[in-house]
Amino acid sequence: MCQAIAIALARAGVTVAAHNLDDCDAIAETVKGVEAFGRRFVTLKAGLRTAPAGRCIVDDAVTALGGSDIVMSSVGAATRKPFLDLTDDD
């Protein structure tokens, strides 16, 4: 699902940064798909179990890309709160 989203964003002209969960084959395919549309793909690594880690990876993406217009979270959680309101306890 994330691969399809990244490639669709690249097709729309977006440079993409994504968190890599160590699935090197999927990341390699995603990089190919994104770069086929002439866009950059940046892979970021972090343990995302805390809010500060989540903020850090967004900061790293902004630094790597020189800015950010879109932040997408694709996590397997069912908490019904706005992303920025989540706490470590959520």
Side-chain angles (χ1 to χ4, degrees):
M1 169 87 108
C2 293
Q3 180 183 40
I5 293 168
I7 293 170
L9 288 169
R11 183 180 299 124
V14 176
T15 299
V16 179
H19 177 255
N20 179 6
L21 295 176
D22 296 323
D23 186 345
C24 295
D25 292 338
I27 288 296
E29 285 181 37
T30 305
V31 170
K32 265 195 222 176
V34 168
E35 290 179 346
F37 291 99
R39 307 310 303 171
R40 285 180 49 221
F41 183 91
V42 176
T43 302
L44 304 165
K45 289 194 178 256
L48 297 178
R49 296 190 181 267
T50 66
R55 284 189 289 276
C56 183
I57 202 164
V58 170
D59 290 344
D60 290 348
V62 168
T63 298
L65 300 175
S68 175
D69 293 322
I70 300 169
V71 174
M72 182 194 78
S73 175
S74 179
V75 297
T79 303
R80 303 281 180 183
K81 273 186 166 178
F83 177 72
L84 294 176
D85 292 341
L86 292 173
T87 68
D88 290 345
D89 293 330
D90 293 327

